[in-house]
Amino acid sequence: AQTVTQSQPEMSVQEAETVTLSCTYDTSENNYYLFWYKQPPSRQMILVIRQEAYKQQNATENRFSVNFQKAAKSFSLKISDSQLGDTAMYFCAFIKNRDDKIIFGKGTRLHILP
Amino acid sequence: NAGVMQNPRHLVRRRGQEARLRCSPMKGHSHVYWYRQLPEEGLKFMVYLQKENIIDESGMPKERFSAEFPKEGPSILRIQQVVRGDSAAYFCASNRDRGNEKLFFGSGTQLSVL
């Protein structure tokens, strides 16, 4: 069975700093999808970034980028120039194919301090 | 184009009562997924429905829980005879086509059982 592990329950950084959130996963699949979702206090689940395992290039979305290490089964999220609006829970997630259900990690609560 | 709409946002029930959670998918979306988030946990899959059909209910508890997505109207997640352990945030997500790689989530319904 696939698992997703986020080892940092909570983190705090100063505004404008760079922060990296860790995620590891376990699977025997070769092709799959990985995601980072953001859940602000409004509770809305917002897709931040998506990575397809067969793509070697790391995905980026503006200030958000990932470090995808397939052999190590690691998928960390880097937030550059952090902003107060980045304060949220961040969930790492995995699906082995498009038809599969999403498996979420337990989340990392990120506080951006003014 | 309105997003995925869930109501109510908060629902309070006493033990033994019924809870009905509603989800209106995005316009043009005929695939609906329900996820549950327990406190300090990631989301966990419950059920996947298409119009008038349950496709995958492998994450649904065998008793007291049911879901439907009629031809007309919203998808309904129904919990009968609620217990304290049912207290959670229930999220709905939708997609135009089958596939979990790009789901759109609602803001969830927070169910509190007294």
Side-chain angles (χ1 to χ4, degrees), chain A residues 42-44 50 98 100, chain B residues 9 98 100-101 105 107-108:
Chain A
S42 66
R43 211 169 56 209
Q44 176 84 43
R50 178 177 66 216
R98 295 178 66 245
D100 194 26
Chain B
R9 186 158 173 77
R98 185 183 181 117
N100 287 284
E101 81 281 16
F105 280 87
S107 294

Side-chain angles (χ1 to χ4, degrees), chain B residues 15-49:
Chain B
R15 280 180 297 171
Q17 291 184 320
E18 179 180 284
R20 279 180 178 253
L21 288 62
R22 287 178 291 278
C23 168
S24 296
M26 287 181 68
K27 187 176 181 180
H29 287 195
S30 60
H31 300 255
V32 165
Y33 304 77
W34 285 93
Y35 282 77
R36 176 165 66 173
Q37 184 181 25
L38 295 170
E40 305 304 318
E41 296 279 330
L43 281 67
K44 287 189 165 51
F45 169 80
M46 298 183 74
V47 62
Y48 162 39
L49 310 104

Side-chain angles (χ1 to χ4, degrees), chain B residues 4-8 11 20-24 34 74-77 90 92 108-109:
Chain B
V4 179
M5 304 300 292
Q6 289 189 248
N7 64 80
L11 181 62
R20 279 180 178 253
L21 288 62
R22 287 178 291 278
C23 168
S24 296
W34 285 93
S75 175
I76 305 288
L77 179 67
Y90 292 82
C92 170
T109 293

Side-chain angles (χ1 to χ4, degrees), chain A residues 6 9-10 33 35 37 39-47 50 52 89 91-92 95 97-107 109, chain B residues 4 8-10 33 35 37 40-45 56 58-59 89 91 95 97-110:
Chain A
Q6 294 179 250
E10 197 159 359
Y33 296 84
F35 309 86
Y37 279 89
Q39 187 180 45
S42 66
R43 211 169 56 209
Q44 176 84 43
M45 289 291 287
I46 302 165
L47 177 64
R50 178 177 66 216
E52 295 168 66
M89 281 288 284
F91 293 97
C92 180
I95 56 172
N97 57 55
R98 295 178 66 245
D99 291 334
D100 194 26
K101 52 188 75 68
I102 303 176
I103 298 170
F104 287 88
K106 290 191 174 184
R109 189 177 300 279
Chain B
V4 179
R9 186 158 173 77
H10 301 276
Y33 304 77
Y35 282 77
Q37 184 181 25
E40 305 304 318
E41 296 279 330
L43 281 67
K44 287 189 165 51
F45 169 80
D56 181 354
S58 59
F91 287 87
N95 204 349
D97 304 308
R98 185 183 181 117
N100 287 284
E101 81 281 16
K102 195 174 183 182
L103 290 184
F104 295 85
F105 280 87
S107 294
T109 293
Q110 179 65 50

Side-chain angles (χ1 to χ4, degrees), chain A:
Chain A
Q2 286 80 14
T3 59
V4 177
T5 302
Q6 294 179 250
S7 59
Q8 305 149 310
E10 197 159 359
M11 299 180 71
S12 296
V13 296
Q14 295 292 137
E15 192 177 7
E17 288 185 349
T18 294
V19 59
T20 299
L21 281 59
S22 302
C23 173
T24 58
Y25 58 94
D26 188 24
T27 182
S28 57
E29 303 292 325
N30 190 44
N31 292 319
Y32 44 86
Y33 296 84
L34 293 160
F35 309 86
W36 279 97
Y37 279 89
K38 172 184 178 181
Q39 187 180 45
S42 66
R43 211 169 56 209
Q44 176 84 43
M45 289 291 287
I46 302 165
L47 177 64
V48 174
I49 205 163
R50 178 177 66 216
Q51 176 83 40
E52 295 168 66
Y54 70 88
K55 291 185 178 178
Q56 292 187 340
Q57 188 171 8
N58 288 325
T60 62
E61 286 289 340
N62 301 313
R63 297 183 295 108
F64 298 86
S65 61
V66 297
N67 183 3
F68 174 45
Q69 301 288 329
K70 191 173 183 180
K73 297 180 182 175
S74 170
F75 184 61
S76 60
L77 175 69
K78 185 172 84 170
I79 307 174
S80 303
D81 185 26
S82 57
Q83 300 175 359
L84 296 178
D86 296 333
T87 293
M89 281 288 284
Y90 286 82
F91 293 97
C92 180
F94 168 100
I95 56 172
K96 63 183 179 185
N97 57 55
R98 295 178 66 245
D99 291 334
D100 194 26
K101 52 188 75 68
I102 303 176
I103 298 170
F104 287 88
K106 290 191 174 184
T108 295
R109 189 177 300 279
L110 177 64
H111 302 275
I112 308 299
L113 306 173

